[in-house]
Amino acid sequence: MPNDTQAAPTGATPDASAHQDRPARSGPVEPRRRRPRGWIALLCLAAGAVLVGLALLRGAVDAVAGAHQVPGGVTSPSPSPPSAPASPSPSVSPLPVYQLPGDFPASGPGTWKYATGMGGVLGSSGGLRRFRVAAETNIAGAELAEFTRMVDLTLGDPRSWIGGQRRLQRVPAGSAYDFTIYLATGETTRKLCATGGMDTRLDGVSYTSCRLPGRVVINFNRWRLSVPDYVKGHVELSVYRMYVINHEVGHELGRNHERCPGRGRPAPVMQQQTYGLQGCRANPWPYLDGKRYAGPAM
């Protein structure tokens, strides 16, 4: 840090006044005694030079020692030079997920583990429907918590069915309920849906989800892998999950299938988006801009 410096004051110059001629005196002449004015001036100059030198020496010592005064008169060492800042580690943005890789069970025992705890009331007005959430026991350990979270998140969004003067609430097993939302392996989904006369297979593999009276069945195959139009369109897996929950719950609430209203427009949530978007854009919500969004009836 640069310091302001001042030039040392110069000493007074010696008296240089010239001697004047004096008239001669009669009688014996005493020898003139010289006054020590010049010596005193020289001594003053020397003393000033010493003081200036000491001041300069003190400044040099302080600069070398790096001392500085802090409030209260306490001398503390100057801070060491700052080290170069560490390079910040690059922020890693999570990559979008369109489907999950890896193996997973294609079938299960057909038994269930239920989410515990009472959820809050979703929605502010209208009739109340209570529901349970369950996952097949062979997948529940890894999936039940996330499935429950996604159901609560989806149905609690104002763009979901609560946007239409309806309230929903998740309840634990043992409580009174109106319907159950199941996450089932593909083969268990096929068996359950077949009891209602529905065939969930595509090319011999259980593909779609379904709704039976009081039972919303989400196919674990689709829960992990989404569908071709969503994957090719780079629509994230979480969006498909919200769509399939709202679609099947919509059936439980009395809604029927609808068609794409026109190329480039949002797909109605009751469109069978699992089979293809038919020129529409992926959309998981029954309410857009605060209004019910629907397509032509099938």
Side-chain angles (χ1 to χ4, degrees):
M1 178 173 180
N3 293 319
D4 294 334
T5 57
Q6 294 179 346
T10 57
T13 57
D15 186 0
S17 59
H19 294 285
Q20 296 180 351
D21 292 335
R22 300 177 183 272
R25 295 180 180 178
S26 60
V29 178
E30 290 183 5
R32 178 178 291 175
R33 288 183 295 180
R34 306 180 94 175
R35 297 178 181 178
R37 293 172 61 186
W39 290 16
I40 293 173
L42 288 174
L43 287 173
C44 290
L45 281 173
V50 170
L51 291 175
V52 170
L54 288 174
L56 292 174
L57 180 60
R58 173 65 183 272
V61 170
D62 285 351
V64 173
H68 68 284
Q69 293 294 322
V70 296
V74 179
T75 300
S76 64
S78 295
S80 58
S83 57
S87 299
S89 57
S91 58
V92 179
S93 299
L95 295 175
V97 175
Y98 307 123
Q99 56 184 197
L100 295 178
D103 296 332
F104 56 90
S107 62
T111 55
W112 311 98
K113 182 175 181 179
Y114 292 85
T116 59
M118 178 83 72
V121 175
L122 310 176
S124 58
S125 62
L128 178 65
R129 298 286 300 275
R130 295 179 176 87
F131 63 91
R132 303 179 302 176
V133 172
E136 201 164 357
T137 51
N138 64 321
I139 59 175
E143 297 290 343
L144 179 57
E146 176 60 17
F147 183 55
T148 303
R149 186 190 74 83
M150 185 59 72
V151 168
D152 287 349
L153 181 69
T154 301
L155 298 181
D157 193 290
R159 295 167 292 179
S160 187
W161 295 108
I162 63 172
Q165 302 295 306
R166 189 185 304 274
R167 292 180 301 149
L168 298 168
Q169 185 179 25
R170 176 172 55 82
V171 297
S175 300
Y177 67 96
D178 298 292
F179 63 98
T180 303
I181 305 175
Y182 297 96
L183 181 64
T185 60
E187 184 61 16
T188 298
T189 298
R190 184 194 68 78
K191 292 177 181 178
L192 285 174
C193 297
T195 63
M198 292 171 284
D199 188 352
T200 65
R201 292 175 297 179
L202 181 67
D203 296 329
V205 178
S206 179
Y207 189 78
T208 64
S209 304
C210 76
R211 174 260 172 184
L212 301 162
R215 290 181 288 177
V216 169
V217 184
I218 307 299
N219 193 323
F220 192 49
N221 294 343
R222 301 282 64 75
W223 187 254
R224 287 186 59 95
L225 300 179
S226 186
V227 292
D229 275 10
Y230 270 64
V231 175
K232 290 186 295 184
H234 299 108
V235 180
E236 293 195 36
L237 178 61
S238 59
V239 177
Y240 179 80
R241 289 178 169 183
M242 290 186 286
Y243 154 73
V244 75
I245 291 168
N246 270 325
H247 181 91
E248 301 301 343
V249 170
H251 284 312
E252 176 62 27
L253 299 177
R255 303 290 180 170
N256 296 318
H257 285 144
E258 299 166 1
R259 299 196 305 272
C260 173
R263 180 169 293 275
R265 296 185 62 182
V269 76
M270 295 313 298
Q271 179 182 330
Q272 292 176 293
Q273 296 181 39
T274 296
Y275 285 127
L277 293 172
Q278 310 302 320
C280 274
R281 294 183 287 112
N283 168 48
W285 306 113
Y287 285 83
L288 298 179
D289 298 322
K291 298 179 181 179
R292 175 77 174 94
Y293 180 76
M298 289 186 66

